[in-house]
């Protein structure tokens, strides 16, 4: 194959925007590592494992580890479908535009709406991870309360999380270059810290691999036995391995994204699986007391501090702090691109303002501010809720799984009708496309149900017990979906079209033969 001329890939990708009727508005400044870093920082192994290890062990015991490879296989099927789409349509707001292209404007808008609102909730959920880490580094980070009152942790989490959201709003408002530099530096720190942590935990191993078959008797008395407990514990893994589509959502700001985005998606997911799996494995093999109640309360932070000692443990926790920060930055960045993509199709209120790109910073500023404010509002609404951590996180992830389904399901329909063609010369699943796509849809549907299942232990673990709290995921997401689609149906249906400031210039018609060259009758 002949190598493309310098800049040829970018020109081809700019031309591919015309399939959607868009003109290039965002500046291509991101290289291969930047797109990889965006994907892996959204997944953020240190953030996810340190935030949710307590949940997995608490509900499933050490055997919950097996949910990690299970979730990886399922999400890999989704990621492979996304790779084909990223190679053919390297466009901002990937989930929205892919869903629109595959399933039509109605499904596209609903998928984009679910993903935008999920991003806002995710921004709140990730910000809560500060509370899991910073107070264990120093009591200075107990700004509100000291942990003695049942709602102290929730209130302090809201304060720390709000500070983080303000930071990511400012960084994103000042442009993608600043975001990419901070994100890439943070990812380097996270990757190095994760590898060092794996080595340190491996050195302190005190028991054999049979540990990850222990269930600690969990599931006894449940109708489904340990399988039911395992399904609940698997949420801890499902909460982590998502967001790899961020690498493709930056497609209009990346160099040669049709080639680089699929690679970045797979590299981010595979690297996260390997590194995260080893951290969880060696943590379970190295913790001094596998039966300690602190495993299900303080989680991986307790393992690190009790195994590696205070000094080394706190150094690791500072690296976790950095990982949480860049994860939040990546989540915010992805949300901005998605809102921008929907707004330039006139799909959101005040679309012209939301889709406006700052001439100075080359980034959409309005969605950065709006998404940040909504995320802080979500935290404030839950300020006295002790279950804020599991409830907000659960709802965010369910909505993202549903948004992914809005892509993989219509993609499967197009395959079955023989209407899906991967980009020529780009990433392709070939004959494996159909079985991979089928598994991706089945997996996404099954995990969405598992995540939303009305478990009192997740959605209403402490009194007072109310049916609407137990069914909170269905009710909240149902209201969001119905309200959003009602807005679309009555206000935007038939009006979805590229706004003037984002519209590609109409191609000039080829000049016809002049009178002097026209053929004689």
């Amino acid at each position: 194959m002949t190598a493309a001329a310098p800049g040829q890939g970018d020109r081809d990708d700019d031309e591919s925007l015309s399939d959607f009727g868009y003109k290039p508005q965002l500046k291509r400044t991101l290289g291969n590592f930047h797109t990889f870093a965006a994907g892996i920082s959204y997944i953020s192994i240190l953030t996810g494992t340190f935030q949710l290890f307590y949940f997995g062990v608490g509900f499933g015991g050490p055997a919950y580890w097996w949910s990690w490879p299970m979730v990886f296989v399922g999400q890999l099927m989704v990621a492979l479908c996304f790779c084909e789409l990223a190679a053919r349509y390297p466009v901002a707001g990937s989930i929205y535009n892919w869903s629109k292209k595959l399933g039509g404007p109605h499904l596209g808008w609903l998928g984009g709406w679910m993903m935008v609102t999920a991003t806002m909730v995710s921004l709140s959920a990730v910000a809560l991870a500060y509370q899991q880490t910073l107070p264990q580094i120093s009591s200075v980070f107990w700004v509100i309360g000291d942990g003695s009152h049942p709602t102290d942790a929730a209130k302090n989490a809201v304060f720390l999380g709000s500070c983080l959201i303000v930071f990511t709003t400012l960084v994103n408002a000042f442009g993608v270059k600043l975001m990419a530099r901070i994100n890439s530096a943070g990812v380097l720190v996270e990757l190095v810290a994760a590898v060092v942590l794996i080595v340190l935990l491996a050195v302190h191993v005190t028991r054999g691999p049979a540990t990850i078959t222990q269930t600690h008797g969990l599931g006894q008395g449940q109708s489904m036995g340990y399988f039911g407990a395992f399904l609940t514990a698997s949420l801890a893994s499902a909460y982590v391995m998502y967001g790899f589509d961020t690498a493709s959502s930056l497609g209009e700001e990346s160099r040669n994204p049709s080639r680089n985005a699929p690679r970045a998606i797979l590299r981010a997911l595979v690297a996260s699986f390997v590194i995260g799996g080893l951290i969880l494995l060696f943590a379970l093999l190295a913790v001094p007391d596998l039966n300690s109640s602190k495993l299900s309360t303080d989680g991986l932070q307790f393992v690190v501090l009790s195994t590696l000692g205070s000094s080394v443990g706190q150094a690791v926790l500072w690296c976790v702090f950095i990982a949480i920060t860049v994860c939040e930055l990546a989540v915010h960045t992805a949300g901005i691109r998605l809102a921008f993509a929907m707004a330039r199709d006139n799909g959101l209120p005040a679309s012209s303002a939301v889709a406006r790109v700052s001439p100075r910073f080359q980034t959409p500023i309005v969605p950065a501010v709006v998404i940040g404010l909504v995320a802080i509002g979500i935290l404030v609404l839950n300020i006295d809720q002790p279950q804020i951590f599991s409830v907000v996180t659960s709802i965010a992830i369910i909505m993202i799984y549903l948004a992914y389904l809005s892509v993989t399901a219509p993609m499967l329909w197009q395959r079955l009708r023989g209407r899906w063609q991967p980009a020529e010369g780009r990433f392709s699943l070939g004959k494996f496309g159909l079985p991979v796509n089928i598994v991706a849809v089945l997996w996404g549907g099954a995990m969405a149900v598992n995540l939303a299942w009305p478990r009192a232990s997740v959605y209403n673990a402490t009194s007072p017990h109310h049916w609407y709290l137990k069914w909170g995921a269905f009710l909240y997401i149902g209201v969001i979906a119905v309200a959003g689609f009602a807005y679309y149906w009555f206000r935007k249906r038939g009006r979805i079209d590229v706004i003037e400031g984002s519209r590609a210039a109409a191609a000039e018609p080829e000049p016809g033969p002049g009178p002097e060259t026209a053929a004689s009758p």
Side-chain angles (χ1 to χ4, degrees), residues 4 18 49 90 94 118 166 282 361 437 448 521:
S18 62
T49 54
S94 49
V166 170
F282 287 125
F361 299 114
N437 205 159

Side-chain angles (χ1 to χ4, degrees), residues 372-397:
L373 289 175
V374 172
I376 291 173
I378 292 170
L379 290 179
V380 172
L381 286 174
N382 289 276
I383 195 165
D384 286 321
Q385 172 58 269
Q387 299 168 81
I388 185 173
F389 305 98
S390 59
V391 173
V392 172
T393 304
S394 297
I395 290 172
I397 308 310

